[in-house]
Amino acid sequence: NAGVTQTPKFQVLKTGQSMTLQCAQDMNHEYMSWYRQDPGMGLRLIHYSVGAGITDQGEVPNGYNVSRSTTEDFPLRLLSAAPSQTSVYFCASSRTTGGNNSPLHFGNGTRLTVT
Amino acid sequence: GNSVTQMEGPVTLSEEAFLTINCTYTATGYPSLFWYVQYPGEGLQLLLKATKADDKGSNKGFEATYRKETTSFHLEKGSVQVSDSAVYFCALTVNTGTASKLTFGTGTRLQVTL
């Protein structure tokens, strides 16, 4: 059971480039989400999805797009990378809505540097 | 809005020392409280949780009690080990009925030395 798989583990982009961070889970979880982790700020929610075809914005959605065409996959797209998007990105999933009785399962993260 | 405040780290302890990591919160509604742990190079893992006042969550020797009167959820362990070195995140969620989302604290790094 692989759990939540994120690729790539590391990425360096130049300002203005675009890329997609991949996230896949094999646990048939309904809920998937993307967080970014920055020093001194903890984790902040970017976008989330409660099921295939449904996405919504989190706390810091600007500059990012998501889609959920299947239950398993939840890619995060950076349309035009900026240095402010240098961060560690975590994908997380849970059986239902990530609440009381359905803990989040995290991937190992993608470390992104934008120069 | 919802927020979580954790004590700043890093916290450096000798093996077998007693650990306390403070966590306080503000929430609109009645939150559930969590501690997550992040080991080096890995994602976060749920360590323990409590869903109502006076509940005590426990796991791997760690404990935390949901104190509504002081809006706190402090993490404790009686005797830490080197393998406990990690970053610890306090978090809360308030179920809105649609999608509940975790609000995290900034994390506290624990370093345990021999």
Side-chain angles (χ1 to χ4, degrees), chain A residues 3-5 15-17 25 40 43 51 55 59 68 85 88 97-98 106 114:
Chain A
V4 179
T5 303
T15 298
Q17 287 184 316
Q25 53 89 10
L43 280 78
T55 63
E59 182 184 355
R68 185 93 180 271
Q85 294 178 304
V88 181
T97 58
F106 283 81
V114 183

Side-chain angles (χ1 to χ4, degrees), chain A residues 3 6 18 24 34 39-40 49 51 54 60 69-70 77 81-82 94-96:
Chain A
Q6 289 183 238
S18 62
W34 278 101
S49 168
I54 306 169
V60 288
S69 56
T70 66
R77 297 183 185 84
S94 68
R95 184 172 52 82
T96 56

Side-chain angles (χ1 to χ4, degrees), chain A residues 31 35 37 40-43 45 48 50 57 90 97-101 103-104 106-108, chain B residues 32 34 36 38 41-44 46 49 51 89 93 95 98-102 104-106:
Chain A
Y31 181 86
Y35 286 85
Q37 182 181 27
M41 303 191 74
L43 280 78
L45 182 65
Y48 65 96
V50 299
Q57 295 181 350
F90 286 100
T97 58
N100 304 347
N101 295 311
L104 284 174
F106 283 81
N108 285 346
Chain B
S32 294
F34 304 82
Y36 278 79
Q38 183 181 28
E42 298 182 9
L44 281 71
L46 178 65
K49 68 178 183 181
T51 58
F89 291 90
T93 185
N95 196 328
T98 53
S100 54
K101 294 161 283 189
L102 283 171
F104 285 90
T106 55

Side-chain angles (χ1 to χ4, degrees), chain B residues 23-108:
Chain B
C23 171
T24 58
Y25 67 89
T26 59
T28 54
Y30 197 50
S32 294
L33 303 172
F34 304 82
W35 277 100
Y36 278 79
V37 57
Q38 183 181 28
Y39 297 104
E42 298 182 9
L44 281 71
Q45 305 172 26
L46 178 65
L47 180 60
L48 54 84
K49 68 178 183 181
T51 58
K52 61 182 186 296
D54 299 325
D55 266 4
K56 178 185 284 188
S58 61
N59 186 25
K60 299 181 181 180
F62 291 90
E63 293 182 340
T65 301
Y66 188 143
R67 301 289 188 198
K68 186 179 179 183
E69 63 275 13
T70 55
T71 62
S72 65
F73 192 55
H74 304 322
L75 182 67
E76 297 182 336
K77 187 175 185 182
S79 176
V80 294
Q81 306 300 311
V82 172
S83 57
D84 294 326
S85 298
V87 181
Y88 292 83
F89 291 90
C90 186
L92 68 83
T93 185
V94 179
N95 196 328
T96 64
T98 53
S100 54
K101 294 161 283 189
L102 283 171
T103 298
F104 285 90
T106 55
T108 302

